[in-house]
Amino acid sequence: MAHALWTTAAVGFCNGNAAISSGSVVASHRNAAISFGNREVEVGVMMCGGSSGAMVAWKRQQQQQQQQQLSKKKKKKGKDGGGFKRRMMEEEDVVAVVSALAGREEGAGGVVLESSEALEALKGLELERSSSSSSSSNGKKKNGHAVAAVTSAVVVVAEEEIESVTERKRRSFEIDTVTEKEMKENGFRSTRRTKLIATVGPACCKFEQLEELASAGMNVARLNMCHGTRDWHRDVIRNCRRLNAEKGYAVAVMMDTEGSEIHMGDLGGVSSAKAEEGEEWFFTVRTFEGPLPAFTIQVNYEGFAEDLKVGDELLVDGGMVQFEVVEKIGPDVKCLCTDSGLLLPRATLTFWRGGSIVREKNVMLPTISSKDWVDIDFGISEGVDFIAVSFVKSPEVIKHLKSYVKARAPDRSIGVFAKIEAFESLNCLEDIIRVSDGAMVARGDLGAQIPLEQVPSVQQAIINVCRSLNKPVIVASQLLESMIQYPTPTRAEVADISEAVRQKADALMLSGESAMGLYPQKALDVLRGVSLRMEHWCREEHHGDRYQLPELSSAPTEKISEQICNSAAQMADKLGADAIFVYTRRGYMASLLSRNRPDCPIFAFTESQNVRQRMNLQWGLIPFRLDFGEDMESNLHRTFALLKARGMMKSGDLVVAVSDISSASQTAMLQSIQVRKIP
């Protein structure tokens, strides 16, 4: 069904001898000449749009060009574009014309306007009828262009065809909504480099709540498989996908396995319980038909009572609450709370004896439990972007899981992250990270297994190893613990976040603060604000201060990629470039650029939505989804025009560009860096 903005239109083609009659698809204004075929649009205003909006392209020099045409040609009067032969266009012709018009508006430096703006632009243009007749005289080709003349001051749009073209154009270029807004308002340098992860829980699981977190800067939504049913997690995953599809975000989903360490139960269904100093609590492996008795906590490990001794210290959730064992009564262990705090469902339990952690039983437990394997299958089937493995003790566990994931999802890339939270993992840290796709510094449980004073230095060491090996690293646990209950953080928490940003971690993660806290969005706002301020300070005060990166590979092709990206980052810093552009299919060159931590943002263009979401976890990357052209030059021109059209870049901006998508051999493709000013 055609949607008429005015009345009818007739279009003639010099080379095709075709005309579009009423009900066909093409739009222009009165008596204008349109040339298309080499990415040039010589037209006052051209419209291709449905009820949602009109796409309008023009060239500012249009009137001048028309005057040049008039001086070279004689006016030739005639009806309907100088008496062109006509034929009715078939449906595929209509789509082709609209696609041609819509696809070339970027090359002419076009912009996108809403319908009301388009109409105002049309009203403001006054072109003479003679323009069309003179430009179409003799019915000859000019410079290989097909010249079309529109004889009516009308626009007719076939709604269903336009919507199809508009949807294709929208999907051919996608950027995160929040990033686009920030860049328009504050410029390139305002973009946040450190990525933010929010754990989803009862406090933020609805679609509207997830949208609020995404608008506040959430890059990754984390699902903690210790809590909730699989149906609940499925709903969250699908809400995230819906958020991306409907609102233009690129929120990735990370699934965090429970692990087989010793855990508390679910507290009888309550969200939390407060343990006060001096209270007596019972830890038991028994099951109960009805509600849990008061001051009773279930434990998932059958040998719990046998392994503990009177006088042992019991640490909950990395030391958030502490107990002392005072008596063993059959399957129950009576404990005295020595350090008050908040008890959360499924919290980990560790016990100490004589000032040292008791490790023997934990070492015997498998890293990936039978429940974890079922959860992993669930995550693969639901298309999560990352799987974080709890309590990794050796690289073999990661290798095994990655081979399993690859076999189950051969057509999709799922990143496997190692959570560094077990003492044993520190003994083979580099080997674990080398085979992983990234690492998480889980400071809560790690802090229960090593002396507290060692946590900051271990955190820095893990970040350095990850960056050296080109693996993204997440700093997690207790970043804003006080904001579970209070609307403002402690100053010590702000300093802790600032230090993680200064250490150049890829991402910071909220756990209970967003999952079950009273102020999830405020906590994310604090994380974003502190990150932005600290990043700005680092650039201003330590410009050019670089971490010395070791070489990653000796293979020729990968070594060239690495050196190209290292050089591109250094060049961008020395030239004061506004951005680095990288065109990548797998995200590898984008990660190499991120590893260098340049001062300017990195615009990472890829064709894959899966790769785009995975890149949203890496430091400094602003991921775009873009349908690639045949070569680097066409991709650059198209990208420049699209970003200018959206108001995200302007003429004169300096860009350093690299790519791994050339149709030429990979070696030839990687031996150049382009430095361009946006025209």
Side-chain angles (χ1 to χ4, degrees):
M1 177 179 176
H3 173 67
L5 297 182
W6 285 305
T7 55
T8 66
V11 178
F13 294 91
C14 294
N15 64 333
N17 294 326
I20 302 176
S21 66
S22 176
S24 298
V25 181
V26 149
S28 185
H29 73 92
R30 176 166 56 119
N31 300 328
I34 306 173
S35 296
F36 54 95
N38 68 342
R39 296 190 175 272
E40 290 296 319
V41 180
E42 300 170 3
V43 57
V45 172
M46 175 176 60
M47 293 184 60
C48 300
S51 57
S52 61
M55 290 180 293
V56 182
W58 75 84
K59 214 170 186 179
R60 292 184 176 88
Q61 296 86 359
Q62 181 271 333
Q63 291 186 355
Q64 181 180 351
Q65 292 173 347
Q66 288 188 336
Q67 291 299 324
Q68 292 173 351
Q69 291 176 354
L70 289 173
S71 65
K72 293 179 180 179
K73 297 184 178 183
K74 294 182 179 181
K75 295 182 180 180
K76 182 176 181 181
K77 295 182 180 180
K79 279 183 126 184
D80 299 329
F84 292 121
K85 295 180 180 178
R86 300 184 185 179
R87 66 174 173 85
M88 292 294 294
M89 296 190 78
E90 300 296 334
E91 182 178 357
E92 57 269 23
D93 297 323
V94 170
V95 176
V97 171
V98 177
S99 299
L101 294 176
R104 286 165 175 75
E105 47 110 340
E106 306 98 3
V111 298
V112 177
L113 301 177
E114 298 298 327
S115 297
S116 59
E117 296 176 297
L119 294 174
E120 288 301 317
L122 285 172
K123 292 176 183 177
L125 289 169
E126 296 181 358
L127 300 177
E128 297 298 328
R129 176 177 293 272
S130 58
S131 300
S132 111
S133 58
S134 63
S135 63
S136 59
S137 62
N138 299 324
K140 295 180 179 178
K141 292 182 181 179
K142 180 182 177 182
N143 298 327
H145 296 183
V147 181
V150 182
T151 60
S152 304
V154 286
V155 177
V156 177
V157 182
E159 197 170 62
E160 61 276 12
E161 306 294 353
I162 290 297
E163 287 177 356
S164 174
V165 173
T166 304
E167 179 65 13
R168 279 203 304 276
K169 283 182 63 60
R170 186 187 72 81
R171 292 186 179 278
S172 70
F173 183 77
E174 300 173 27
I175 179 177
D176 183 84
T177 306
V178 175
T179 303
E180 180 176 6
K181 181 180 177 183
E182 288 179 352
M183 290 181 61
K184 286 181 177 179
E185 293 178 352
N186 304 311
F188 286 99
R189 301 278 173 167
S190 68
T191 56
R192 172 174 41 84
R193 314 299 199 269
T194 308
K195 302 306 177 74
L196 307 182
I197 303 173
T199 302
V200 181
C204 60
C205 60
K206 296 179 181 178
F207 180 81
E208 295 76 14
Q209 294 169 325
L210 289 170
E211 184 177 2
E212 289 177 355
L213 292 180
S215 66
M218 175 180 70
N219 301 107
V220 180
R222 170 180 174 257
L223 301 176
N224 188 348
M225 301 308 289
C226 290
H227 311 284
T229 65
R230 292 189 186 97
D231 286 340
W232 183 90
H233 289 295
R234 182 181 291 108
D235 289 341
V236 173
I237 293 171
R238 293 180 181 180
N239 277 336
C240 289
R241 298 302 182 230
R242 177 186 163 199
L243 188 68
N244 292 343
E246 294 183 6
K247 305 294 183 178
Y249 295 102
V251 175
V253 176
M254 172 178 283
M255 190 191 78
D256 197 330
T257 65
E258 180 177 337
S260 57
E261 298 297 295
I262 301 173
H263 290 273
M264 290 173 21
D266 62 2
L267 300 180
V270 299
S271 60
S272 63
K274 187 68 180 292
E276 298 288 354
E277 186 175 348
E279 291 179 346
E280 290 185 342
W281 286 71
F282 288 87
F283 291 79
T284 182
V285 296
R286 291 185 293 161
T287 58
F288 299 89
E289 292 293 334
L292 282 176
F295 301 101
T296 300
I297 296 172
Q298 291 175 300
V299 182
N300 71 334
Y301 174 47
E302 289 293 334
F304 184 74
E306 299 173 13
D307 291 341
L308 282 173
K309 295 182 179 180
V310 174
D312 285 351
E313 289 182 282
L314 188 63
L315 274 63
V316 178
D317 202 11
M320 297 308 295
V321 190
Q322 295 187 27
F323 295 89
E324 180 183 345
V325 177
V326 295
E327 187 179 1
K328 295 168 62 174
I329 311 170
D332 302 338
V333 177
K334 183 180 178 180
C335 298
L336 179 71
C337 181
T338 57
D339 197 353
S340 60
L342 199 64
L343 298 169
L344 301 177
R346 313 295 297 172
T348 57
L349 297 172
T350 52
F351 28 101
W352 289 61
R353 184 178 300 151
S356 300
I357 188 171
V358 179
R359 309 185 192 281
E360 289 79 7
K361 294 300 177 182
N362 281 9
V363 171
M364 297 300 294
L365 295 172
T367 299
I368 303 177
S369 67
S370 56
K371 176 184 179 297
D372 291 338
W373 284 114
V374 176
D375 289 338
I376 288 167
D377 283 338
F378 164 79
I380 293 172
S381 66
E382 290 297 322
V384 299
D385 300 288
F386 305 100
I387 297 174
V389 186
S390 297
F391 296 99
V392 176
K393 302 180 182 72
S394 70
E396 284 70 27
V397 173
I398 299 296
K399 290 179 182 178
H400 179 45
L401 178 56
K402 289 183 71 173
S403 64
Y404 179 78
V405 170
K406 186 175 182 179
R408 289 293 311 276
D411 299 327
R412 195 170 192 278
S413 178
I414 299 177
V416 176
F417 274 57
K419 293 180 67 177
I420 309 300
E421 52 190 341
F423 175 81
E424 293 80 9
S425 64
L426 299 180
N427 296 326
C428 51
L429 179 64
E430 186 168 330
D431 293 334
I432 290 174
I433 293 175
R434 190 181 300 277
V435 299
S436 304
D437 295 312
M440 180 188 298
V441 189
R443 305 181 304 175
D445 289 305
L446 182 63
Q449 301 207 12
I450 64 174
L452 290 174
E453 62 271 17
Q454 293 182 16
V455 173
S457 59
V458 169
Q459 173 179 307
Q460 178 72 78
I462 296 171
I463 292 174
N464 289 346
V465 171
C466 285
R467 190 171 167 197
S468 296
L469 296 176
N470 194 30
K471 310 288 184 175
V473 58
I474 303 164
V475 173
S477 303
Q478 303 164 2
L479 287 170
L480 291 168
E481 192 78 11
S482 67
M483 291 193 72
I484 292 177
Q485 294 180 291
Y486 302 103
T488 55
T490 66
R491 304 307 177 260
E493 288 170 334
V494 172
D496 181 35
I497 295 169
S498 298
E499 178 61 13
V501 174
R502 188 196 63 78
Q503 291 174 352
K504 301 295 179 70
D506 286 84
L508 306 178
M509 190 181 92
L510 297 177
S511 299
E513 304 96 326
S514 57
M516 43 79 68
L518 298 178
Y519 310 97
Q521 187 173 347
K522 282 188 176 181
L524 197 62
D525 286 339
V526 170
L527 208 58
R528 181 182 64 179
V530 175
S531 298
L532 280 168
R533 182 64 189 89
M534 192 63 187
E535 289 169 358
H536 177 75
W537 181 84
C538 288
R539 289 193 295 271
E540 292 297 316
E541 300 297 325
H542 299 283
H543 182 77
D545 184 16
R546 289 273 168 261
Y547 174 72
Q548 294 300 314
L549 298 173
E551 289 189 1
L552 285 171
S553 175
S554 58
T557 299
E558 293 184 359
K559 192 170 184 178
I560 292 172
S561 298
E562 181 183 346
Q563 294 304 319
I564 285 289
C565 291
N566 292 347
S567 299
Q570 294 173 16
M571 186 179 297
D573 286 345
K574 291 181 179 180
L575 295 176
D578 294 288
I580 299 174
F581 282 15
V582 56
Y583 299 84
T584 178
R585 297 195 191 279
R586 297 181 295 114
Y588 180 62
M589 289 192 74
S591 70
L592 291 173
L593 289 166
S594 171
R595 177 179 184 242
N596 280 273
R597 305 298 196 256
D599 287 338
C600 63
I602 304 163
F603 285 25
F605 301 93
T606 183
E607 287 186 310
S608 166
Q609 180 66 14
N610 175 221
V611 173
R612 179 190 175 207
Q613 287 168 188
R614 284 192 60 182
M615 290 194 298
N616 210 16
L617 180 60
Q618 294 178 273
W619 189 97
L621 297 186
I622 301 176
F624 295 74
R625 207 202 67 77
L626 175 72
D627 288 341
F628 292 143
E630 295 180 355
D631 52 48
M632 180 71 163
E633 193 67 19
S634 64
N635 287 324
L636 280 171
H637 279 297
R638 185 160 179 263
T639 304
F640 291 163
L642 286 167
L643 291 174
K644 285 176 65 178
R646 287 173 176 258
M648 298 168 62
M649 301 190 80
K650 62 184 185 300
S651 297
D653 286 338
L654 187 66
V655 170
V656 177
V658 297
S659 172
D660 64 5
I661 64 168
S662 175
S663 58
S665 67
Q666 193 176 34
T667 302
M669 173 267 297
L670 292 173
Q671 291 179 338
S672 67
I673 303 173
Q674 293 198 39
V675 180
R676 304 286 289 270
K677 275 195 175 183
I678 296 182

